[in-house]
Amino acid sequence: MKAFFSDVLDDFLSPVFLERVRQKFHYGDTQEDEFQKVAEEMLPLMREEAFWEREESFVKNHHQVENGTTIYENVVMSLGKELDRLQESYSDRGMLSQSYMLEVLASEFLLQGYEAYNRYIRENTDWHVARYHFLGSEEDFPIELLPSLLKRVAPQITCNSAFCMLPKKSVAFISELTQDVSLQCKGICVGCNNISCSNRIADDCSPKNPLVRMTDMPLTYGYRQIFGKFSDQRL
């Protein structure tokens, strides 16, 4: 189990990151202190529990990859169970604004994790990320693979019969790695065709319908576009 990317953690309380998230989700200047306080309560919990793990796999849809130019990795990231408990405590006390602030901050934090994973692969292996595959979004990667993937890669994360993961602030995906310099994935949501989505990034690379099941709270329109209709059906 690898501790979460230290550079992403170190950046979490930076004014640039917090201001970007606050503006993105239309929190006013009067809520700046409240937003900062929620982030400050989150960070020690994430430093203690957040992690990621990878498992190299040379198979796609149970068949050996034969050309030798592509490999696949099972990847899991999680922010840990204590963040779920903090969010539940906000809800139990009627602090719905703080609960949703935690939600958007955790979601944006995990998005940074994809870019950090890309950098890790590029800097520590002879490969780089060509594409992400999310279980349930493609025929070759059915959602039914999730329980076995979690059991192998991160047994401390579980999922229920609806394939919702616990801890809730967790993601699982399969990364396609290549040595082809013409195939470069810069991060999740790159190349999304929905130009009105607040999370869209210019350039190209990312499936249109990833399953990123993180919480049982209603998601904003922008996150529904990222996480896909499949996740809405599981709410």
Side-chain angles (χ1 to χ4, degrees), residues 217-229:
M217 293 181 61
L219 299 175
T220 65
Y221 174 77
Y223 278 107
R224 288 200 303 272
Q225 297 306 303
I226 296 176
F227 302 158
K229 294 180 181 180

Side-chain angles (χ1 to χ4, degrees), residues 69-83:
T69 62
T70 302
I71 62 174
Y72 293 81
E73 282 197 344
N74 301 321
V75 184
V76 173
M77 300 180 189
S78 179
L79 304 188
K81 61 183 182 298
E82 289 303 318
L83 215 59

